[in-house]
Amino acid sequence: MIASGLKWMVPLILLVSGCTNLQVSRSPDLEKIARLVEQQQFGEALAMIPRVEESAPDFAEWETLRKSVGKKATAYRKNVIREGKELERQGEWYQALKHYQQALNNLYENRRIQAAHDKLQRETGASIDALEVELLIAKGQWLKQQLIVQTKLFPLLSEKQFKVVRHEVVREEAIQVSVALGVVGKRAVRQGEYTLAEETLDLSLDLHPDPSIEATRKALTSEKQRVIVKKAQSAQRALSVSLQEALNQRQLGEASDIAIQLKKRGTPSKEEQQLIQQLNRDIRKQVEEDLDLGADHYSRGEYTEAVAAWNKVLALEPDNTEAAIRNERAKRILEKLRQLSEE
């Protein structure tokens, strides 16, 4: 195995051993370098190759060796990332982390492998945290159900019998889980994870009432309402801007759709009402122009062009009776012309 790994270095070993200008103080063990490369320990192999001045007689030999090892290290790095991504895809995250770490040990430092390792480590940590929260919630729900059932049992049992069902032990455990759920809920509020915050805070209060948790829960309700209002205002502003842009670009159909959305959201602001009024004026002007254009085409026997012009009118004003009647008349003529042409 070692012999096959050294084959590519045999000419270099002979060349270096026959070079009288190569100083003993910087002569590495070439066979050891070959073994390190065979074992994919490229960092250590490269560290053993000395750097010499370009003017040195042995400069070309060392650079040839360095480039050869560096090329193999690059191929190794690409393969490591490819195999690591495949392990991630298969859900083998722990094995992928070990794979990246082994590669970093072999290469010493590599930004791409380090980045892949760090990214996966963050994702792994986040997944573990999420699963631990799931377990905590499941435990809280189980304890909540236990407390409910034990409360129903209490009137049916003697004190001695009731102790057998470990009521106090369950209650103490419920308090501990309630505290843990409260911590998770407060953290979720800070991070803006309101759905998780609601679930954990509500369950915490079900297990054990606590003034600080109740205060956090009320604050969460207020914060959610504030966020909802803020999002609505942001969406309203975005629609206003889109309406203005559509008007500027004479995209009246799109502007009309945006105006409908604005009206559905409630009473438009003064500025929005002005934009809608401008839109109505622009639509009326465009409709009149297309009606006249269609009539001109119709009078010249250009029925296809007339239909196209009146279709534009109907796209802006679907209930425009004049355009609808003229359009139908032109379509009937076109159909008769088609039949005559076929005959």
Side-chain angles (χ1 to χ4, degrees), residues 104-165:
L104 290 171
N105 293 338
N106 289 344
L107 290 172
Y108 286 173
E109 292 182 4
N110 186 276
R111 285 181 296 179
R112 294 185 181 180
I113 295 179
Q114 188 68 59
H117 174 276
D118 293 347
K119 178 176 178 292
L120 180 57
Q121 196 167 47
R122 290 193 298 271
E123 292 175 354
T124 300
S127 295
I128 291 173
D129 288 345
L131 290 172
E132 287 180 344
V133 169
E134 282 188 31
L135 287 172
L136 182 64
I137 291 172
K139 187 174 184 179
Q141 292 170 341
W142 178 75
L143 287 168
K144 176 183 175 182
Q145 190 61 31
Q146 266 206 311
L147 290 173
I148 291 173
V149 172
Q150 287 187 353
T151 300
K152 293 178 180 179
L153 276 172
F154 183 73
L156 308 177
L157 303 173
S158 66
E159 184 177 348
K160 183 177 180 181
Q161 289 174 318
F162 194 67
K163 287 181 180 180
V164 175
V165 297

Side-chain angles (χ1 to χ4, degrees), residues 30 56 62 111 147 173 210 235 238 252 323:
L30 295 178
W62 291 128
R111 285 181 296 179
L147 290 173
E173 190 175 6
D210 182 272
L252 300 182

Side-chain angles (χ1 to χ4, degrees), residues 252-271:
L252 300 182
E254 181 179 346
S256 181
D257 292 339
I258 295 171
I260 292 172
Q261 292 182 54
L262 278 171
K263 291 175 182 177
K264 286 181 178 179
R265 300 182 71 88
T267 304
S269 66
K270 183 178 179 181
E271 292 78 9

Side-chain angles (χ1 to χ4, degrees), residues 222-234:
S222 301
E223 176 64 14
K224 278 190 64 179
Q225 186 61 37
R226 187 189 68 80
V227 169
I228 291 171
V229 171
K230 187 176 180 180
K231 285 184 178 180
Q233 291 172 343
S234 178

